[in-house]
Amino acid sequence: MHTVLIIDDEQDFCRSVERMLSKAGYAVQSVYTATEGLRGLQSGDIRLVLLDHMLPDINGMDLLPRLLADYPQIPVILMTSAASLGQAVEAAKTGAYDYLEKPFERNRLLLSIRNALVYADTRRERDRYREACADQFEMVGRSDGICRVRTLIEKVAGRDISVLITGESGTGKELVARALHNQSNRSEKPFVRLNCAAIPENLLESEMFGHEKGAFTGAHTSRPGRFFTAHEGTLFLDEIGEMSPGIQAKLLRTLESGEIQRVGSEKPVTCDVRVLTATNKDLRDRVSKNLFREDLYYRLNVVKIHLPPLRERKEDIPLLLEFFITRTAMKEGIIPLRLAPSAVHYLCGYAWPGNVREMEHFVSRMMVLHSGSYVDLQHVREFLGEEAAFRYDNQESGTLRTARDDFERNYIRAALAQAGGNVTRAAENLGIDRRNLYRKMEGLGMDGE
Ligand SMILES: Nc1ncnc2c1ncn2[C@@H]1O[C@H](COP(=O)(O)OP(=O)(O)OP(=O)(O)O)[C@@H](O)[C@H]1O
Ligand SMILES: [Mg+2]
């Protein structure tokens, strides 16, 4: 049931509004001063406020901005006398949902309340959606590699320059492209992705630039093309290394002129698009083999953002595991699994040839198949599968000392991640004294962590 809070010093008036609202199925609470009103809001049950413009302690008009700032999710309806109507209109402009001139009719009141509640629900829904989206595009990690990527994104997102994103499969190239778009001033406009490797060469041109009706066999209707769809936004050309030389020439022309030419049309169309590209190939090498145009390469590669493979940023592994476990648990409505430190340690040593995407799938698989809430080393070995043992990353060679230090570092990191960063708890789990753990971490060069 929705609770409505009435803040008005006229007690008789409060009684009569209370009656109207109770009959309509609302719970009602009345208070007679602004101070009591603020206290009432702290209970957390209030869904809407009916606010009188004249109150004995703080004027309703002065209370309003405070309510809006502290409780942005609660709509406020102002109640006013004819004399102060002008002020109420102004207040409505600054954020009150509506205003009612006293005396008002029951139906007018109920309509206003109903609309305000629907409006508040929609806004809450929108905020939830935004939060979910933000989470979807969150970039987890605190390795030097990822910090460098983040800094570069911040630096170049707002500038309208081309960015070439490189990195092995599954390292997060698309995530970077989306972050660049979301942090740019084009963020309210479309983000359009086109995978150049997924479309046959003869169709790629029309897919990119569009075509006129009858331009080729099968072109029954005209199509706008991805460049056009991305107008004023961002076009992300994925796997650009696969683009054939003919289309490379056309892309270069478009980038230079800011115009697209639909297949089957003579007339160029102006188009304002920021182009981001990604590849997991060595484009420089393709240039030297004459498979990729050098001029286009320089045009696209104004800034390069390289994503290091996961095996080169192992300190991110426990964080990413935690992130995917929590996210999957929330999405599926199940309890998050806990990983034994030895299991996390094992996963830190694994080579992750499919990088972050492989880990995401691994966590999903584990969450679906595992029947307890605790995962130990043996389980993890099973979930990774037989062949994983061959891909286990044991190439790091060195002295016994460095091997032991690496082992201890990863083991402690895993224990810390598991204890949610709580050193005391991590020390307890590791069976050592808290001070010893600090000393150990210092010795291993982990004091900055
Ligand atoms: N640092 C990160 N934090 C959180 N999630 C990540 C991170 N990096 C990648 N991911 C997630 O991993 C998955 C793969 O990332 P993405 O699709 O961006 O990789 P990619 O480099 O484009 O891969 P491919 O080359 O195979 O197309 C996505 O679901 C992405 O959200
Ligand atoms: Mg991708």
Side-chain angles (χ1 to χ4, degrees):
M1 196 161 21
H2 296 317
T3 303
V4 174
L5 178 69
I6 308 174
I7 313 180
D8 194 316
D9 56 335
E10 265 181 81
Q11 305 206 4
D12 289 347
F13 174 79
C14 288
R15 290 291 95 70
S16 92
V17 175
E18 271 173 28
R19 269 194 303 277
M20 287 183 203
L21 295 184
S22 314
K23 259 195 219 147
Y26 295 102
V28 196
Q29 197 183 326
S30 295
V31 294
Y32 312 120
T33 62
T35 318
E36 284 175 285
L38 286 170
R39 203 172 310 130
L41 278 163
Q42 283 170 3
S43 72
D45 298 333
I46 309 298
R47 294 289 301 278
L48 183 137
V49 174
L50 286 174
L51 176 65
D52 186 24
H53 87 285
M54 284 286 273
L55 290 167
D57 47 355
I58 311 170
N59 190 328
M61 290 303 183
D62 297 330
L63 180 62
L64 179 68
R66 193 154 152 202
L67 294 186
L68 294 173
D70 290 353
Y71 302 94
Q73 72 283 21
I74 300 179
V76 178
I77 299 175
L78 267 179
M79 302 180 293
T80 136
S81 61
S84 50
L85 196 61
Q87 266 184 316
V89 175
E90 284 308 306
K93 279 188 205 150
T94 59
Y97 177 77
D98 198 0
Y99 56 89
L100 299 171
E101 189 185 332
K102 284 180 179 176
F104 41 75
E105 286 184 6
R106 179 174 170 274
N107 284 345
R108 172 76 175 84
L109 172 69
L110 293 181
L111 184 67
S112 181
I113 292 184
R114 205 172 52 227
N115 287 344
L117 289 172
V118 169
Y119 167 78
D121 275 349
T122 318
R123 280 229 326 214
R124 205 167 301 130
E125 200 51 43
R126 187 201 62 189
D127 291 348
R128 247 203 304 270
Y129 177 74
R130 284 209 177 143
E131 256 170 50
C133 284
D135 175 50
Q136 190 187 341
F137 299 129
E138 187 177 336
M139 185 171 290
V140 175
R142 58 168 184 213
S143 58
D144 289 348
I146 281 296
C147 291
R148 223 170 298 137
V149 167
R150 243 189 241 116
T151 312
L152 266 172
I153 291 176
E154 274 165 30
K155 275 200 183 133
V156 301
R159 313 269 311 276
D160 239 2
I161 44 181
S162 305
V163 180
L164 174 67
I165 309 161
T166 62
E168 287 179 12
S169 165
T171 44
K173 298 186 290 297
E174 187 164 344
L175 200 63
V176 170
R178 284 185 186 274
L180 285 168
H181 173 73
N182 291 346
Q183 293 177 35
S184 76
N185 42 21
R186 295 173 177 264
S187 64
E188 301 284 318
K189 303 288 180 184
F191 174 88
V192 178
R193 170 178 180 259
L194 177 63
N195 184 341
C196 303
I199 292 168
E201 192 190 324
N202 57 344
L203 293 182
L204 187 58
E205 182 182 354
S206 92
E207 198 59 46
M208 280 175 64
F209 305 111
H211 63 246
E212 295 298 334
K213 183 175 172 184
F216 49 85
T217 329
H220 299 303
T221 52
S222 67
R223 282 197 48 190
R226 306 282 173 106
F227 254 102
F228 193 77
T229 316
H231 184 53
E232 296 187 326
T234 305
L235 177 64
F236 174 46
L237 296 173
D238 207 354
E239 309 210 29
I240 186 81
E242 305 301 318
M243 190 177 266
S244 68
I247 308 213
Q248 288 176 30
K250 294 194 165 108
L251 173 60
L252 183 64
R253 201 176 323 133
T254 292
L255 292 173
E256 276 169 353
S257 66
E259 287 176 340
I260 49 172
Q261 193 135 20
R262 287 190 185 179
V263 181
S265 161
E266 295 297 314
K267 213 169 70 214
V269 186
T270 341
C271 201
D272 164 25
V273 170
R274 180 194 197 177
V275 174
L276 304 174
T277 50
T279 180
N280 55 16
K281 298 270 157 51
D282 183 351
L283 261 200
R284 200 50 268 177
D285 180 58
R286 287 180 97 77
V287 169
S288 64
K289 288 184 177 136
N290 284 330
L291 293 169
F292 204 85
R293 292 180 68 115
E294 190 166 19
D295 44 9
L296 180 60
Y297 174 75
Y298 287 117
R299 183 94 209 176
L300 297 174
N301 187 16
V302 178
V303 170
K304 177 151 100 186
I305 298 187
H306 177 69
L307 282 153
L310 205 46
R311 63 182 173 281
E312 287 174 16
R313 42 180 165 120
K314 292 192 168 170
E315 60 266 54
D316 290 344
I317 292 177
L319 296 174
L320 281 161
L321 284 167
E322 200 64 37
F323 172 74
F324 287 127
I325 288 176
T326 313
R327 189 161 83 179
T328 313
M330 289 213 319
K331 216 159 43 186
E332 308 283 334
I334 49 181
I335 36 166
L337 292 178
R338 283 201 311 122
L339 294 176
S342 57
V344 179
H345 174 68
Y346 184 80
L347 293 171
C348 287
Y350 177 58
W352 298 105
N355 294 296
V356 187
R357 175 171 300 111
E358 183 186 4
M359 179 189 288
E360 197 177 356
H361 290 162
F362 164 77
V363 169
S364 303
R365 193 163 64 236
M366 188 168 68
M367 301 274 285
V368 171
L369 297 179
H370 191 61
S371 40
S373 64
Y374 192 70
V375 183
D376 65 18
L377 177 59
Q378 192 48 39
H379 297 134
V380 158
R381 283 212 173 101
E382 278 162 25
F383 289 127
L384 265 185
E386 293 277 312
E387 79 275 25
F390 297 105
R391 290 185 282 156
Y392 200 77
D393 185 26
N394 50 10
Q395 288 159 11
E396 272 174 37
S397 55
T399 62
L400 186 60
R401 173 73 201 256
T402 54
R404 201 188 59 206
D405 285 358
D406 279 347
F407 176 87
E408 287 190 346
R409 227 175 266 126
N410 281 334
Y411 207 90
I412 292 173
R413 259 180 213 130
L416 281 169
Q418 163 135 50
N422 182 326
V423 180
T424 314
R425 234 179 44 226
E428 227 170 73
N429 290 343
L430 292 167
I432 58 172
D433 184 69
R434 180 165 166 273
R435 258 173 315 157
N436 271 342
L437 180 55
Y438 272 123
R439 209 167 306 134
K440 186 107 219 152
M441 286 172 70
E442 210 178 347
L444 292 166
M446 299 173 73
D447 23 349
E449 293 187 14

